[in-house]
Amino acid sequence: MNDERAGDAGWEERVAALWETIDAYGPEDFRARIAELAAERGDDDAPALFELGAAHDSTGLPVEAVTYYRRALDLGLTGLRRRRAVIQLASSLRNLGRPDRSVELLTAERDLPDARLDADERALAPAVDAFLALALADTGRDREAASLALGALAPLLPRYNRSLAHYARALLTAPDGS
């Protein structure tokens, strides 16, 4: 099912408005409010399941979030929510002691051709890199993690972009300790 069905703009707006006010609610209350919105869409609605996963994740329940994210992805979640679900699933798995699986998911996500992604999805490429760097560090691949993080940072600097990008790549080929 697509991220947004015809006539569901109101639902999308209500979900967005609720997320904007997350700090006004306790964790259980926030999850309950998201669950009410999700119930409007049914048990097999991928966007609603993603929102349930995100609500559980954001309120400290990553085990439950993983279940919702996986179900949403299995049901064919698309677009920006699909990319967010992969990032958030990978982050939750890393936090649950599965950085290896996080690396797998984020590496596959990073390898998707830009032509398959819309502009909003491409805008999350630095987030993919950032969470992949965290997972790499957790698997003991510190040089790869630093290279990825510094490479993602390089374009944002007001100066030294080329130098930092070069040094980031060099981390992958230089022997340890240099």
Side-chain angles (χ1 to χ4, degrees):
M1 198 167 288
N2 289 335
D3 276 1
E4 196 170 330
R5 298 179 293 187
D8 284 344
W11 185 85
E12 295 288 345
E13 289 171 5
R14 289 182 290 137
V15 168
L18 185 55
W19 277 104
E20 287 177 17
T21 61
I22 185 174
D23 293 329
Y25 304 100
E28 287 126 23
D29 189 22
F30 183 76
R31 286 191 305 268
R33 289 170 185 268
I34 289 289
E36 286 174 15
L37 289 171
E40 294 176 18
R41 305 272 293 226
D43 293 338
D44 289 331
D45 184 82
L49 290 165
F50 166 78
E51 295 299 338
L52 284 165
H56 282 79
D57 214 357
S58 295
T59 58
L61 298 175
V63 172
E64 293 84 349
V66 165
T67 301
Y68 286 116
Y69 292 145
R70 284 184 172 149
R71 188 144 178 251
L73 290 165
D74 288 347
L75 286 170
L77 190 65
T78 61
L80 181 59
R81 276 196 178 105
R82 185 208 57 80
R83 183 156 249 206
R84 290 179 57 205
V86 170
I87 293 167
Q88 291 168 211
L89 170 60
S91 177
S92 291
L93 289 170
R94 183 185 77 81
N95 289 329
L96 292 169
R98 292 292 319 274
D100 54 330
R101 184 66 181 123
S102 182
V103 168
E104 290 172 15
L105 286 168
L106 293 168
T107 298
E109 190 66 22
R110 192 171 193 266
D111 289 344
L112 289 176
D114 276 351
R116 276 194 49 197
L117 306 172
D118 66 26
D120 290 333
E121 292 170 286
R122 284 191 301 274
L124 284 181
V128 171
D129 288 349
F131 284 93
L132 178 54
L134 288 168
L136 287 167
D138 283 356
T139 61
R141 296 163 63 182
D142 297 336
R143 292 181 77 78
E144 287 177 73
S147 174
L148 194 58
L150 292 170
L153 177 63
L156 304 175
L157 299 178
R159 299 191 61 91
Y160 312 111
N161 313 78
R162 286 182 59 244
S163 296
L164 185 59
H166 169 75
Y167 292 135
R169 287 188 302 273
L171 280 172
L172 297 177
T173 58
D176 284 345
S178 62

